[in-house]
Amino acid sequence: MNDDLISAQKAEILLIEQKAEQFVVSEKMFPKGGTVIVGVSGGADSTALLHFLKNHAEKWNLSLIAAHVNHGLRGESADHDEAFVKECCQKWAIPCRVLHEDVAALSKKRKEGLEACGRYVRYTFFKALAKENGAVAIATAHTASDQAETVLMHLCRGAGAKGLSGISPVHEGIVRPLLCLTRKEIEVYCNGYHLSYCEDETNWDLDFSRNKIRRQVIPVLKTLNPKVETAVSGAAFRLREDDNCLFEMAKSALEQAAHGLGWETSSLMKQPRPVRLRALFLAAKKNGAGELSADHLLNLDLLLLQGGKITLTLGLHAEVQQGILFFGDPKKQRFAIPLSFPETILPDGRRLLVRKISQKELKNDSKFHNLFFFNLLNYATISKNTVVRTQLEGDRFRPAGRGISKPLRRMMNEAHIPPYLRENSILLEREGEILWAEGLGASESARPGVDRQNAMIIIKENGL
């Protein structure tokens, strides 16, 4: 091999490394260094990843742990891959952890495909190792070629911007340092460093959807654009930026529309549809929704306009009442916990703030005026036995100044408190007596005196 060719190969490898280095730094994958769990199958991509991180471990202050999963699917071939990974790690002085799992049996038990089950097993293992070793990140060897395949698969399923954004470079502690490189660049890197690697024969099995994209679709697209993988990855990156921006706008829209435990439909309807749909997605997820399809979101959007009630996933329903969107669950959480000063964190995420207020605040601080009628009570009636709880069947309440006791549900109905607030209202109880009911105020025995010397105020925050 002549010197010019050798120099050209070295220059190409140097450019590939610089490209990956700049990508890692720009995405802030290892800002402070630390332990990194590296997923290593033994293939070209993961072997290159482990080698690349080994070469940069000192520069980036990294301590590497390789993680390999033997899926029990390929017999001797899988055992050979495991032995290869162990040998590499021994040669490079990198600790190696191996998990053996019968993925075929587990996939039947979990009632999912081999690909999905294998992914579940790997990431569960990686996350367990990360927790055990205090790792700052889990590194996987996804490439720009994987990105293109993923985006095309999602496109075939009719995905929106989130699905077409593909694989994120950094997400929930998982980083992809090689996502900027194509599979061809990975092979150049491996050849340049004389790195051997394993070939997974299942990569040629066209029963797997990804292999169909890789072996049959991508080659055709390359006749239109030889750099199609890089082009699709670039499009995914731009879509991710747009999608992230729209989600930030959606978060602000939810905050503006917040009303008790729900959201004002009139406020949400003012938002552009792309922002509104994302706001509805966030609201549903916040209330425990499972996987949400495009149809779910479109039905939620229609609900804002028409009112009524629809059922989503995992038993969650959405309803619009009196211009307020709220979500309910048939298995709604009930609780009774001790009252704490000055703040009680409720099991559903809400916060109850309780504190004494001065005469000066009562007279001069306008921000309390709208809260006084329903949220003042006598501090002296609170004891260590006071609990915060949700409603129970048979609850009765004797409101201040009324001279009567009635079923709590009937009183809330008479007070025209919307159903979604009734179902989620909270109470203060002491030794069987309700001292305060949200939306109704203090009881006869707990109301402040005429001079309000011992007044305390209750402020509820939704924790949304």
Side-chain angles (χ1 to χ4, degrees), residues 6 10-11 54 99 101 109 168 194 207 220 257 273 311 313 322 338 340 361 382 412 417 432 437 445 451:
I6 293 174
K10 287 183 177 179
K54 174 187 73 73
L99 173 70
E101 183 65 72
K109 184 178 179 180
S168 178
H194 306 291
D207 287 339
V220 173
R273 191 163 175 269
T311 300
T313 58
Q322 299 180 14
S340 300
E361 285 179 307
I382 302 298
M412 288 189 165
I417 296 173
S445 63
D451 59 2

Side-chain angles (χ1 to χ4, degrees), residues 218-443:
I218 295 290
V220 173
L221 294 178
K222 282 185 175 179
T223 64
L224 302 175
N225 179 1
K227 296 184 178 179
V228 66
E229 293 162 312
T230 302
V232 172
S233 292
F237 175 80
R238 290 186 289 277
L239 271 172
R240 187 179 307 109
E241 284 192 320
D242 292 348
D243 193 47
N244 289 342
C245 177
L246 289 169
F247 266 109
E248 287 302 316
M249 294 172 68
K251 289 177 185 177
S252 296
L254 275 186
E255 292 174 1
Q256 294 169 18
H259 182 97
L261 291 176
W263 293 271
E264 294 179 358
T265 58
S266 59
S267 179
L268 290 173
M269 288 301 294
K270 292 176 184 177
Q271 299 295 330
R273 191 163 175 269
V275 175
R276 190 169 68 245
L277 290 177
R278 285 166 173 81
L280 292 171
F281 174 86
L282 292 173
K285 283 294 187 180
K286 195 178 291 291
N287 282 275
E291 290 295 321
L292 292 169
S293 67
D295 286 342
H296 285 134
L297 295 179
L298 292 175
N299 287 335
L300 274 173
D301 198 39
L302 191 62
L303 183 69
L304 295 183
L305 185 64
Q306 297 181 346
K309 182 177 180 178
I310 63 172
T311 300
L312 299 171
T313 58
L314 301 179
L316 185 71
H317 66 257
E319 189 169 358
V320 170
Q321 293 181 1
Q322 299 180 14
I324 305 298
L325 168 70
F326 68 96
F327 296 83
D329 188 337
K331 300 176 182 177
K332 188 172 77 70
Q333 185 178 22
R334 301 290 179 180
F335 58 82
I337 61 174
L339 177 68
S340 300
F341 288 89
E343 176 183 75
T344 306
I345 305 295
L346 305 184
D348 60 10
R350 290 180 287 174
R351 300 193 306 154
L352 198 66
L353 309 177
V354 181
R355 70 174 181 85
K356 292 185 70 173
I357 54 175
S358 67
Q359 292 295 306
K360 183 177 180 181
E361 285 179 307
L362 284 168
K363 292 177 181 178
N364 301 325
D365 200 334
S366 61
K367 72 179 180 180
F368 289 121
H369 287 179
N370 292 332
L371 299 171
F372 284 165
F373 189 75
F374 292 123
N375 294 314
L376 285 182
L377 66 160
N378 191 335
Y379 185 82
T381 61
I382 302 298
S383 72
K384 64 180 181 180
N385 297 322
T386 303
V387 298
V388 185
R389 69 168 174 86
T390 48
Q391 291 186 56
L392 298 173
E393 289 295 329
D395 276 339
R396 296 183 69 86
F397 186 56
R398 185 180 179 86
R402 295 278 299 274
I404 56 170
S405 174
K406 285 186 178 182
L408 183 61
R409 289 185 181 276
R410 184 190 301 175
M411 297 200 78
M412 288 189 165
N413 187 47
E414 292 173 354
H416 304 293
I417 296 173
Y420 78 93
L421 285 180
R422 284 183 236 158
E423 290 301 314
N424 293 283
S425 63
I426 54 178
L427 315 171
L428 288 189
E429 177 202 292
R430 183 197 60 193
E431 298 175 354
E433 179 188 5
I434 296 175
L435 301 176
W436 173 83
E438 183 180 359
L440 295 175
S443 69

Side-chain angles (χ1 to χ4, degrees), residues 156-219:
C156 291
R157 297 168 186 163
K162 191 172 185 66
L164 297 179
S165 298
I167 306 166
S168 178
V170 179
H171 181 67
E172 296 181 351
I174 299 171
V175 300
R176 281 96 181 193
L178 305 185
L179 199 59
C180 61
L181 303 178
T182 65
R183 191 164 290 115
K184 182 179 179 181
E185 288 174 311
I186 294 296
E187 290 173 357
V188 169
Y189 179 93
C190 289
N191 291 335
Y193 277 106
H194 306 291
L195 302 177
S196 57
Y197 50 85
C198 304
E199 293 282 359
D200 185 347
E201 62 273 17
T202 62
N203 286 338
W204 295 91
D205 187 347
L206 296 182
D207 287 339
F208 293 105
S209 300
R210 182 175 292 274
N211 289 345
K212 288 181 180 178
I213 298 287
R214 181 181 302 168
R215 305 297 177 191
Q216 297 180 336
V217 177
I218 295 290

